[in-house]
Amino acid sequence: MDLAYIPSPSTGVIHLGPIPLRGYAFCIIIGVFVAVWLGNRRWIARGGKPGTVADIAVWAVPFGLVGGRLYHVITDYQLYFGEGRNWVDAFKIWEGGLGIWGAIALGAVGAWIGCRLRGIPLPAWADALAPGIALAQACGRWGNWFNQELYGRATDLPWALKISEGPNRVAGTYHPTFLYESLWCVGVALLVIWADRRFKLGHGRAFALYVAAYCVGRSWIEYMRVDEAHHILGVRLNVWTSIVVFLLAVTYLVLSAKLRPGREAIVEPDREPSGDSEPATEAGSEPAKAKAGAASVVKAGPESAAGAVPKAGSEPAAKAGAATEAAAPKTEAGDAPKAGATAEDKTTGGDEAAGAKAPEAKKL
């Protein structure tokens, strides 16, 4: 007897009159809203305009849904085109079946079109949206719970998922792989947010980190699943896909960091650089000294610059005149200096000049 387990819903759809409200569709819609909301906040923080993320998502989301469905239908074609199957079911997206690899690939094409129309670099937009995509996946995985699909091997753990009898499934308790992947995606989102703040990731590296981290989790979660899938060398197709995509993402991270370090200063053509993308100027550096010198000249006025002449009547001018007169004493025409005369009789300078001549007068 199972003492604890996660129950599955008795139905994945509620009918509002003739309109069916499907749990799977609601999870996808909630995920899209979460991704756009978080992506918009991150885009504004990078110096972008409010609403830009949503405008480009109008292109990316439909392309992503089509791509996700195409990947699922192509890789699991036997479910729709095998003997006794109805090919029309391939269009019933509400019954589940979206491949994340196709969704990201074709969704990127839609995003590229939207970015081209706005004159925005696609890597910068992808970086802003990366953690939101991971959270959207976390929400979307709960659609598998509503449809009672994509669960793992049988288990009696307290958090086992109870599955009821139905088409293509046997009643029992199984590993809730949908829950494992949902929690993993939340962790990936937090990792990308932390790394982006810590290392100022740019030029698509935040998105590449999301892809690499997701692939790590998808590999071991996919290995636990028991649903029908194609195998290559005894390994599920999606595990091989995760390995290949992981290697591509890591390669991009390394090469991008070497070829284009830092992050974009301007993400939209008519916006100012964001505060966290400008290179910091250390105190005492040459640009800082030049700016400080220019500011001091402007504040002090043109007369305080090097080589400026003091105004007549000012204290510096008086001292300068006194020093000049002390250096060149004046005498009256035709008069010779008398013996025993003091320095005061010989000059009209200040006290400093008199003090300098006084010792010579005493010796005489």
PDB file of all heavy atoms in Angstrom, residues 307-344:
ATOM      1  N   GLY A 307      50.685  80.365 -16.980  1.00  0.00           N
ATOM      2  CA  GLY A 307      51.143  81.470 -17.804  1.00  0.00           C
ATOM      3  C   GLY A 307      50.249  82.680 -17.748  1.00  0.00           C
ATOM      4  O   GLY A 307      50.496  83.674 -18.430  1.00  0.00           O
ATOM      5  N   ALA A 308      49.166  82.654 -16.964  1.00  0.00           N
ATOM      6  CA  ALA A 308      48.286  83.811 -16.890  1.00  0.00           C
ATOM      7  C   ALA A 308      48.980  84.937 -16.146  1.00  0.00           C
ATOM      8  O   ALA A 308      49.746  84.736 -15.208  1.00  0.00           O
ATOM      9  CB  ALA A 308      46.983  83.427 -16.183  1.00  0.00           C
ATOM     10  N   VAL A 309      48.703  86.189 -16.528  1.00  0.00           N
ATOM     11  CA  VAL A 309      49.317  87.367 -15.920  1.00  0.00           C
ATOM     12  C   VAL A 309      48.414  87.895 -14.834  1.00  0.00           C
ATOM     13  O   VAL A 309      47.228  88.115 -15.070  1.00  0.00           O
ATOM     14  CB  VAL A 309      49.539  88.468 -16.990  1.00  0.00           C
ATOM     15  CG1 VAL A 309      50.155  89.691 -16.351  1.00  0.00           C
ATOM     16  CG2 VAL A 309      50.427  87.935 -18.096  1.00  0.00           C
ATOM     17  N   PRO A 310      48.918  88.107 -13.589  1.00  0.00           N
ATOM     18  CA  PRO A 310      48.080  88.644 -12.518  1.00  0.00           C
ATOM     19  C   PRO A 310      47.631  90.063 -12.833  1.00  0.00           C
ATOM     20  O   PRO A 310      48.329  90.826 -13.483  1.00  0.00           O
ATOM     21  CB  PRO A 310      48.995  88.606 -11.286  1.00  0.00           C
ATOM     22  CG  PRO A 310      50.086  87.645 -11.642  1.00  0.00           C
ATOM     23  CD  PRO A 310      50.264  87.764 -13.115  1.00  0.00           C
ATOM     24  N   LYS A 311      46.453  90.413 -12.367  1.00  0.00           N
ATOM     25  CA  LYS A 311      45.925  91.759 -12.565  1.00  0.00           C
ATOM     26  C   LYS A 311      46.704  92.787 -11.741  1.00  0.00           C
ATOM     27  O   LYS A 311      47.213  92.500 -10.678  1.00  0.00           O
ATOM     28  CB  LYS A 311      44.449  91.798 -12.175  1.00  0.00           C
ATOM     29  CG  LYS A 311      43.560  90.963 -13.090  1.00  0.00           C
ATOM     30  CD  LYS A 311      42.115  91.092 -12.672  1.00  0.00           C
ATOM     31  CE  LYS A 311      41.214  90.292 -13.583  1.00  0.00           C
ATOM     32  NZ  LYS A 311      39.793  90.415 -13.184  1.00  0.00           N
ATOM     33  N   ALA A 312      46.732  93.977 -12.304  1.00  0.00           N
ATOM     34  CA  ALA A 312      47.395  95.060 -11.587  1.00  0.00           C
ATOM     35  C   ALA A 312      46.649  95.365 -10.307  1.00  0.00           C
ATOM     36  O   ALA A 312      45.427  95.432 -10.285  1.00  0.00           O
ATOM     37  CB  ALA A 312      47.431  96.317 -12.488  1.00  0.00           C
ATOM     38  N   GLY A 313      47.425  95.621  -9.239  1.00  0.00           N
ATOM     39  CA  GLY A 313      46.821  95.969  -7.962  1.00  0.00           C
ATOM     40  C   GLY A 313      46.511  94.781  -7.098  1.00  0.00           C
ATOM     41  O   GLY A 313      46.124  94.945  -5.960  1.00  0.00           O
ATOM     42  N   SER A 314      46.655  93.588  -7.624  1.00  0.00           N
ATOM     43  CA  SER A 314      46.380  92.404  -6.812  1.00  0.00           C
ATOM     44  C   SER A 314      47.574  92.108  -5.932  1.00  0.00           C
ATOM     45  O   SER A 314      48.686  92.576  -6.175  1.00  0.00           O
ATOM     46  CB  SER A 314      46.070  91.210  -7.725  1.00  0.00           C
ATOM     47  OG  SER A 314      47.197  90.912  -8.497  1.00  0.00           O
ATOM     48  N   GLU A 315      47.373  91.323  -4.900  1.00  0.00           N
ATOM     49  CA  GLU A 315      48.446  91.021  -3.959  1.00  0.00           C
ATOM     50  C   GLU A 315      49.597  90.292  -4.606  1.00  0.00           C
ATOM     51  O   GLU A 315      50.755  90.604  -4.369  1.00  0.00           O
ATOM     52  CB  GLU A 315      47.875  90.216  -2.794  1.00  0.00           C
ATOM     53  CG  GLU A 315      48.916  89.928  -1.713  1.00  0.00           C
ATOM     54  CD  GLU A 315      48.318  89.177  -0.556  1.00  0.00           C
ATOM     55  OE1 GLU A 315      47.084  89.021  -0.561  1.00  0.00           O
ATOM     56  OE2 GLU A 315      49.060  88.781   0.324  1.00  0.00           O
ATOM     57  N   PRO A 316      49.347  89.304  -5.464  1.00  0.00           N
ATOM     58  CA  PRO A 316      50.483  88.670  -6.152  1.00  0.00           C
ATOM     59  C   PRO A 316      51.274  89.629  -6.990  1.00  0.00           C
ATOM     60  O   PRO A 316      52.485  89.554  -7.076  1.00  0.00           O
ATOM     61  CB  PRO A 316      49.801  87.602  -6.996  1.00  0.00           C
ATOM     62  CG  PRO A 316      48.510  87.318  -6.310  1.00  0.00           C
ATOM     63  CD  PRO A 316      48.094  88.629  -5.750  1.00  0.00           C
ATOM     64  N   ALA A 317      50.590  90.584  -7.635  1.00  0.00           N
ATOM     65  CA  ALA A 317      51.305  91.560  -8.456  1.00  0.00           C
ATOM     66  C   ALA A 317      52.188  92.446  -7.597  1.00  0.00           C
ATOM     67  O   ALA A 317      53.311  92.798  -7.968  1.00  0.00           O
ATOM     68  CB  ALA A 317      50.297  92.408  -9.242  1.00  0.00           C
ATOM     69  N   ALA A 318      51.703  92.841  -6.407  1.00  0.00           N
ATOM     70  CA  ALA A 318      52.496  93.695  -5.524  1.00  0.00           C
ATOM     71  C   ALA A 318      53.756  92.976  -5.071  1.00  0.00           C
ATOM     72  O   ALA A 318      54.841  93.543  -5.037  1.00  0.00           O
ATOM     73  CB  ALA A 318      51.658  94.102  -4.310  1.00  0.00           C
ATOM     74  N   LYS A 319      53.630  91.705  -4.697  1.00  0.00           N
ATOM     75  CA  LYS A 319      54.798  90.952  -4.270  1.00  0.00           C
ATOM     76  C   LYS A 319      55.789  90.787  -5.402  1.00  0.00           C
ATOM     77  O   LYS A 319      56.998  90.863  -5.216  1.00  0.00           O
ATOM     78  CB  LYS A 319      54.371  89.587  -3.731  1.00  0.00           C
ATOM     79  CG  LYS A 319      53.601  89.677  -2.421  1.00  0.00           C
ATOM     80  CD  LYS A 319      53.244  88.299  -1.910  1.00  0.00           C
ATOM     81  CE  LYS A 319      52.515  88.383  -0.589  1.00  0.00           C
ATOM     82  NZ  LYS A 319      52.161  87.069  -0.057  1.00  0.00           N
ATOM     83  N   ALA A 320      55.280  90.537  -6.588  1.00  0.00           N
ATOM     84  CA  ALA A 320      56.176  90.386  -7.727  1.00  0.00           C
ATOM     85  C   ALA A 320      56.920  91.665  -8.005  1.00  0.00           C
ATOM     86  O   ALA A 320      58.113  91.684  -8.302  1.00  0.00           O
ATOM     87  CB  ALA A 320      55.367  89.972  -8.963  1.00  0.00           C
ATOM     88  N   GLY A 321      56.239  92.833  -7.874  1.00  0.00           N
ATOM     89  CA  GLY A 321      56.916  94.121  -8.088  1.00  0.00           C
ATOM     90  C   GLY A 321      57.952  94.382  -7.044  1.00  0.00           C
ATOM     91  O   GLY A 321      59.026  94.911  -7.334  1.00  0.00           O
ATOM     92  N   ALA A 322      57.646  94.032  -5.805  1.00  0.00           N
ATOM     93  CA  ALA A 322      58.619  94.249  -4.732  1.00  0.00           C
ATOM     94  C   ALA A 322      59.865  93.420  -4.947  1.00  0.00           C
ATOM     95  O   ALA A 322      60.985  93.880  -4.732  1.00  0.00           O
ATOM     96  CB  ALA A 322      57.975  93.899  -3.385  1.00  0.00           C
ATOM     97  N   ALA A 323      59.701  92.183  -5.361  1.00  0.00           N
ATOM     98  CA  ALA A 323      60.869  91.340  -5.607  1.00  0.00           C
ATOM     99  C   ALA A 323      61.698  91.878  -6.745  1.00  0.00           C
ATOM    100  O   ALA A 323      62.929  91.832  -6.724  1.00  0.00           O
ATOM    101  CB  ALA A 323      60.403  89.922  -5.913  1.00  0.00           C
ATOM    102  N   THR A 324      61.080  92.448  -7.777  1.00  0.00           N
ATOM    103  CA  THR A 324      61.822  93.011  -8.911  1.00  0.00           C
ATOM    104  C   THR A 324      62.628  94.218  -8.497  1.00  0.00           C
ATOM    105  O   THR A 324      63.789  94.395  -8.869  1.00  0.00           O
ATOM    106  CB  THR A 324      60.847  93.401 -10.033  1.00  0.00           C
ATOM    107  OG1 THR A 324      60.092  92.224 -10.382  1.00  0.00           O
ATOM    108  CG2 THR A 324      61.587  93.904 -11.246  1.00  0.00           C
ATOM    109  N   GLU A 325      62.032  95.085  -7.698  1.00  0.00           N
ATOM    110  CA  GLU A 325      62.736  96.290  -7.238  1.00  0.00           C
ATOM    111  C   GLU A 325      63.884  95.938  -6.303  1.00  0.00           C
ATOM    112  O   GLU A 325      64.928  96.578  -6.304  1.00  0.00           O
ATOM    113  CB  GLU A 325      61.757  97.215  -6.521  1.00  0.00           C
ATOM    114  CG  GLU A 325      60.750  97.840  -7.485  1.00  0.00           C
ATOM    115  CD  GLU A 325      59.750  98.710  -6.754  1.00  0.00           C
ATOM    116  OE1 GLU A 325      59.862  98.803  -5.521  1.00  0.00           O
ATOM    117  OE2 GLU A 325      58.876  99.278  -7.406  1.00  0.00           O
ATOM    118  N   ALA A 326      63.707  94.871  -5.509  1.00  0.00           N
ATOM    119  CA  ALA A 326      64.782  94.477  -4.602  1.00  0.00           C
ATOM    120  C   ALA A 326      65.961  93.940  -5.372  1.00  0.00           C
ATOM    121  O   ALA A 326      67.113  94.110  -4.975  1.00  0.00           O
ATOM    122  CB  ALA A 326      64.266  93.426  -3.617  1.00  0.00           C
ATOM    123  N   ALA A 327      65.695  93.248  -6.464  1.00  0.00           N
ATOM    124  CA  ALA A 327      66.784  92.679  -7.253  1.00  0.00           C
ATOM    125  C   ALA A 327      67.554  93.743  -8.012  1.00  0.00           C
ATOM    126  O   ALA A 327      68.733  93.577  -8.292  1.00  0.00           O
ATOM    127  CB  ALA A 327      66.218  91.646  -8.215  1.00  0.00           C
ATOM    128  N   ALA A 328      66.943  94.852  -8.381  1.00  0.00           N
ATOM    129  CA  ALA A 328      67.612  95.914  -9.145  1.00  0.00           C
ATOM    130  C   ALA A 328      67.398  97.246  -8.443  1.00  0.00           C
ATOM    131  O   ALA A 328      66.489  98.006  -8.763  1.00  0.00           O
ATOM    132  CB  ALA A 328      67.061  95.974 -10.572  1.00  0.00           C
ATOM    133  N   PRO A 329      68.244  97.602  -7.430  1.00  0.00           N
ATOM    134  CA  PRO A 329      68.073  98.863  -6.667  1.00  0.00           C
ATOM    135  C   PRO A 329      68.316 100.080  -7.550  1.00  0.00           C
ATOM    136  O   PRO A 329      69.165 100.088  -8.419  1.00  0.00           O
ATOM    137  CB  PRO A 329      69.121  98.743  -5.561  1.00  0.00           C
ATOM    138  CG  PRO A 329      70.123  97.764  -6.081  1.00  0.00           C
ATOM    139  CD  PRO A 329      69.382  96.808  -6.931  1.00  0.00           C
ATOM    140  N   LYS A 330      67.493 101.085  -7.285  1.00  0.00           N
ATOM    141  CA  LYS A 330      67.593 102.343  -8.024  1.00  0.00           C
ATOM    142  C   LYS A 330      68.442 103.361  -7.255  1.00  0.00           C
ATOM    143  O   LYS A 330      68.421 103.409  -6.046  1.00  0.00           O
ATOM    144  CB  LYS A 330      66.196 102.935  -8.264  1.00  0.00           C
ATOM    145  CG  LYS A 330      65.317 102.039  -9.144  1.00  0.00           C
ATOM    146  CD  LYS A 330      63.982 102.706  -9.337  1.00  0.00           C
ATOM    147  CE  LYS A 330      63.075 101.829 -10.211  1.00  0.00           C
ATOM    148  NZ  LYS A 330      61.752 102.446 -10.397  1.00  0.00           N
ATOM    149  N   THR A 331      69.187 104.208  -7.971  1.00  0.00           N
ATOM    150  CA  THR A 331      69.966 105.312  -7.373  1.00  0.00           C
ATOM    151  C   THR A 331      69.641 106.585  -8.130  1.00  0.00           C
ATOM    152  O   THR A 331      69.237 106.554  -9.292  1.00  0.00           O
ATOM    153  CB  THR A 331      71.478 105.033  -7.468  1.00  0.00           C
ATOM    154  OG1 THR A 331      71.825 104.865  -8.842  1.00  0.00           O
ATOM    155  CG2 THR A 331      71.820 103.726  -6.729  1.00  0.00           C
ATOM    156  N   GLU A 332      69.825 107.692  -7.443  1.00  0.00           N
ATOM    157  CA  GLU A 332      69.576 108.968  -8.091  1.00  0.00           C
ATOM    158  C   GLU A 332      70.700 109.271  -9.065  1.00  0.00           C
ATOM    159  O   GLU A 332      71.827 108.858  -8.896  1.00  0.00           O
ATOM    160  CB  GLU A 332      69.492 110.056  -7.028  1.00  0.00           C
ATOM    161  CG  GLU A 332      68.312 109.849  -6.072  1.00  0.00           C
ATOM    162  CD  GLU A 332      68.269 110.974  -5.052  1.00  0.00           C
ATOM    163  OE1 GLU A 332      69.140 111.859  -5.135  1.00  0.00           O
ATOM    164  OE2 GLU A 332      67.359 110.947  -4.208  1.00  0.00           O
ATOM    165  N   ALA A 333      70.381 110.042 -10.099  1.00  0.00           N
ATOM    166  CA  ALA A 333      71.357 110.373 -11.129  1.00  0.00           C
ATOM    167  C   ALA A 333      72.516 111.151 -10.542  1.00  0.00           C
ATOM    168  O   ALA A 333      72.326 112.154  -9.866  1.00  0.00           O
ATOM    169  CB  ALA A 333      70.688 111.197 -12.236  1.00  0.00           C
ATOM    170  N   GLY A 334      73.739 110.697 -10.852  1.00  0.00           N
ATOM    171  CA  GLY A 334      74.954 111.398 -10.429  1.00  0.00           C
ATOM    172  C   GLY A 334      75.372 111.099  -9.036  1.00  0.00           C
ATOM    173  O   GLY A 334      76.411 111.578  -8.603  1.00  0.00           O
ATOM    174  N   ASP A 335      74.624 110.441  -8.263  1.00  0.00           N
ATOM    175  CA  ASP A 335      74.990 110.155  -6.869  1.00  0.00           C
ATOM    176  C   ASP A 335      75.662 108.803  -6.791  1.00  0.00           C
ATOM    177  O   ASP A 335      75.229 107.842  -7.393  1.00  0.00           O
ATOM    178  CB  ASP A 335      73.758 110.141  -5.971  1.00  0.00           C
ATOM    179  CG  ASP A 335      73.164 111.537  -5.855  1.00  0.00           C
ATOM    180  OD1 ASP A 335      73.898 112.486  -6.131  1.00  0.00           O
ATOM    181  OD2 ASP A 335      71.962 111.625  -5.510  1.00  0.00           O
ATOM    182  N   ALA A 336      76.726 108.709  -5.991  1.00  0.00           N
ATOM    183  CA  ALA A 336      77.406 107.441  -5.722  1.00  0.00           C
ATOM    184  C   ALA A 336      77.001 106.958  -4.358  1.00  0.00           C
ATOM    185  O   ALA A 336      76.775 107.756  -3.456  1.00  0.00           O
ATOM    186  CB  ALA A 336      78.924 107.631  -5.792  1.00  0.00           C
ATOM    187  N   PRO A 337      76.957 105.711  -4.136  1.00  0.00           N
ATOM    188  CA  PRO A 337      76.585 105.194  -2.814  1.00  0.00           C
ATOM    189  C   PRO A 337      77.603 105.612  -1.762  1.00  0.00           C
ATOM    190  O   PRO A 337      78.789 105.553  -1.983  1.00  0.00           O
ATOM    191  CB  PRO A 337      76.606 103.677  -3.017  1.00  0.00           C
ATOM    192  CG  PRO A 337      76.470 103.478  -4.503  1.00  0.00           C
ATOM    193  CD  PRO A 337      77.151 104.653  -5.131  1.00  0.00           C
ATOM    194  N   LYS A 338      77.121 106.091  -0.667  1.00  0.00           N
ATOM    195  CA  LYS A 338      77.983 106.533   0.423  1.00  0.00           C
ATOM    196  C   LYS A 338      78.372 105.360   1.294  1.00  0.00           C
ATOM    197  O   LYS A 338      77.611 104.435   1.480  1.00  0.00           O
ATOM    198  CB  LYS A 338      77.262 107.586   1.277  1.00  0.00           C
ATOM    199  CG  LYS A 338      76.928 108.850   0.502  1.00  0.00           C
ATOM    200  CD  LYS A 338      76.225 109.842   1.408  1.00  0.00           C
ATOM    201  CE  LYS A 338      75.854 111.125   0.664  1.00  0.00           C
ATOM    202  NZ  LYS A 338      75.173 112.075   1.528  1.00  0.00           N
ATOM    203  N   ALA A 339      79.635 105.452   1.834  1.00  0.00           N
ATOM    204  CA  ALA A 339      80.091 104.420   2.765  1.00  0.00           C
ATOM    205  C   ALA A 339      79.262 104.466   4.022  1.00  0.00           C
ATOM    206  O   ALA A 339      79.013 105.529   4.570  1.00  0.00           O
ATOM    207  CB  ALA A 339      81.571 104.630   3.103  1.00  0.00           C
ATOM    208  N   GLY A 340      78.906 103.289   4.522  1.00  0.00           N
ATOM    209  CA  GLY A 340      78.119 103.218   5.759  1.00  0.00           C
ATOM    210  C   GLY A 340      76.644 103.381   5.531  1.00  0.00           C
ATOM    211  O   GLY A 340      75.887 103.416   6.478  1.00  0.00           O
ATOM    212  N   ALA A 341      76.285 103.573   4.285  1.00  0.00           N
ATOM    213  CA  ALA A 341      74.853 103.733   4.015  1.00  0.00           C
ATOM    214  C   ALA A 341      74.150 102.399   4.227  1.00  0.00           C
ATOM    215  O   ALA A 341      74.693 101.340   3.958  1.00  0.00           O
ATOM    216  CB  ALA A 341      74.646 104.223   2.586  1.00  0.00           C
ATOM    217  N   THR A 342      72.962 102.491   4.685  1.00  0.00           N
ATOM    218  CA  THR A 342      72.165 101.266   4.919  1.00  0.00           C
ATOM    219  C   THR A 342      71.495 100.837   3.643  1.00  0.00           C
ATOM    220  O   THR A 342      71.411 101.584   2.671  1.00  0.00           O
ATOM    221  CB  THR A 342      71.105 101.526   6.006  1.00  0.00           C
ATOM    222  OG1 THR A 342      70.220 102.511   5.528  1.00  0.00           O
ATOM    223  CG2 THR A 342      71.745 101.988   7.295  1.00  0.00           C
ATOM    224  N   ALA A 343      71.001  99.598   3.715  1.00  0.00           N
ATOM    225  CA  ALA A 343      70.316  99.059   2.537  1.00  0.00           C
ATOM    226  C   ALA A 343      69.049  99.818   2.243  1.00  0.00           C
ATOM    227  O   ALA A 343      68.630  99.927   1.102  1.00  0.00           O
ATOM    228  CB  ALA A 343      69.985  97.588   2.766  1.00  0.00           C
ATOM    229  N   GLU A 344      68.473 100.455   3.266  1.00  0.00           N
ATOM    230  CA  GLU A 344      67.233 101.189   3.049  1.00  0.00           C
ATOM    231  C   GLU A 344      67.479 102.426   2.227  1.00  0.00           C
ATOM    232  O   GLU A 344      66.613 102.900   1.505  1.00  0.00           O
ATOM    233  CB  GLU A 344      66.604 101.550   4.380  1.00  0.00           C
ATOM    234  CG  GLU A 344      66.132 100.315   5.160  1.00  0.00           C
ATOM    235  CD  GLU A 344      65.549 100.701   6.493  1.00  0.00           C
ATOM    236  OE1 GLU A 344      65.614 101.893   6.803  1.00  0.00           O
ATOM    237  OE2 GLU A 344      65.039  99.817   7.197  1.00  0.00           O
TER     238      GLU A 344
END
